[in-house]
Amino acid sequence: MSFTIYPAIDMRDGKCVRLEQGDFNKETVYGENPFEVAKEFVETGASWIHMVDLDGAKAGSKQNAEHVLRVTKELDCKVQIGGGIRSEEDVRFYLDQGVDRVIIGSLAVKDVELTKQLLRQYGDQIAIGLDARDGYVSTAGWLEKSEIQAIDLGRELAEAGAKTFIYTDIAKDGMLSGPNVKEIVRLGEVTGVNVIASGGIQGLEDLYKLKEYKDQHVIGSIVGKALYSKRFTLSEALEVEGS
């Protein structure tokens, strides 16, 4: 099983930003143009770009799609997008435009049956984003905490055909405090489905630690704040991928 690094581009008001624990009031702007950031990542060697429409996640509809589509059409990389995807039309919009993988988060909580239908229809072009706070899934850009445990939802959707989960411990996100390796590995073990780790990466040692579990369904890691705050370079992260 290979291990993939996914450099992250979180978009708000058309800019590349990072939040702390999903808090829209704790924002740092790292780039005025998401396309230029993505271009630099691809030129460094990234094969995937992880994009998040933060405005869309909050509003419940696509807000930064033009930036996603420009990356998809003009750069030689694969793209996965999350944020504001709340219907089959949203999923189809991105996939028809050449996006490789669409991430369903809030929709998976609010309409499990539609999510299962989308999994049957689009297979591994769908990833399920499990964003957890104290083990429970949060929705609407992490502004709302549900009563559903991430592990339980993961198990149900794995049985429905989910091929990829993206697990984020919200308490870790943007805090440079290390990923929640225990829960990431547990999700893979319980569901038997591939898991991409997200949130808390602080150094290369975290990436090497996660990669130790690549044969236990941990297939990659999203890197965001550690990359932007120069804890390590993308080239160094990609060395972990290739090691």
Side-chain angles (χ1 to χ4, degrees):
M1 185 72 70
S2 61
F3 186 86
T4 302
I5 299 297
Y6 296 81
I9 296 177
D10 291 3
M11 299 168 291
R12 189 179 185 199
D13 296 329
K15 299 176 182 179
C16 180
V17 308
R18 297 301 295 175
L19 307 181
E20 288 185 11
Q21 299 178 321
D23 189 336
F24 283 80
N25 294 315
K26 295 179 179 179
E27 173 191 277
T28 303
V29 176
Y30 285 103
E32 297 291 325
N33 187 324
F35 175 80
E36 293 301 326
V37 176
K39 183 180 178 184
E40 185 175 338
F41 287 159
V42 173
E43 289 175 347
T44 303
S47 58
W48 276 90
I49 303 292
H50 173 81
M51 305 188 78
V52 179
D53 183 349
L54 292 173
D55 298 306
K58 191 173 183 179
S61 60
K62 301 185 300 296
Q63 302 293 316
N64 286 281
E66 69 271 20
H67 303 294
V68 180
L69 300 187
R70 187 179 177 199
V71 171
T72 300
K73 295 178 187 305
E74 296 186 31
L75 298 179
D76 183 18
C77 63
K78 294 182 178 180
V79 174
Q80 61 184 22
I81 173 65
I85 298 165
R86 306 291 166 81
S87 67
E88 181 182 356
E89 289 72 25
D90 292 335
V91 172
R92 194 166 58 243
F93 169 83
Y94 279 120
L95 294 180
D96 285 350
Q97 297 286 337
V99 170
D100 297 273
R101 187 186 289 150
V102 172
I103 304 163
I104 292 175
S106 297
L107 180 62
V109 175
K110 297 179 182 298
D111 196 335
V112 175
E113 292 309 311
L114 175 57
T115 300
K116 290 178 179 179
Q117 175 189 321
L118 292 171
L119 288 170
R120 288 191 294 269
Q121 187 169 351
Y122 297 106
D124 59 8
Q125 290 180 292
I126 299 286
I128 303 297
L130 295 176
D131 304 327
R133 194 187 300 275
D134 301 322
Y136 290 86
V137 178
S138 290
T139 62
W142 301 350
L143 298 175
E144 300 173 13
K145 182 178 175 181
S146 76
E147 299 301 315
I148 301 171
Q149 290 201 3
I151 289 290
D152 292 337
L153 182 60
R155 185 185 290 111
E156 181 176 358
L157 293 177
E159 292 173 355
K163 304 296 184 187
T164 306
F165 291 120
I166 298 173
Y167 183 88
T168 305
D169 184 331
I170 295 170
K172 298 280 190 178
D173 191 72
M175 301 306 292
L176 300 172
S177 59
N180 191 337
V181 177
K182 180 181 176 182
E183 285 302 300
I184 292 163
V185 174
R186 180 174 170 233
L187 178 63
E189 290 176 341
V190 168
T191 63
V193 170
N194 292 334
V195 181
I196 299 170
S198 174
I201 300 297
Q202 60 180 332
L204 294 173
E205 65 276 8
D206 292 326
L207 300 178
Y208 280 111
K209 180 66 175 177
L210 288 166
K211 190 177 180 181
E212 290 177 11
Y213 297 96
K214 67 184 179 67
D215 294 327
Q216 294 167 256
H217 306 290
V218 181
I219 64 162
S221 178
I222 292 164
V223 291
K225 189 168 184 178
L227 194 60
Y228 290 105
S229 58
K230 304 188 188 307
R231 292 293 187 98
F232 51 78
T233 67
L234 180 56
S235 294
E236 289 172 327
L238 293 173
E239 285 179 15
V240 179
E241 178 183 280
S243 64

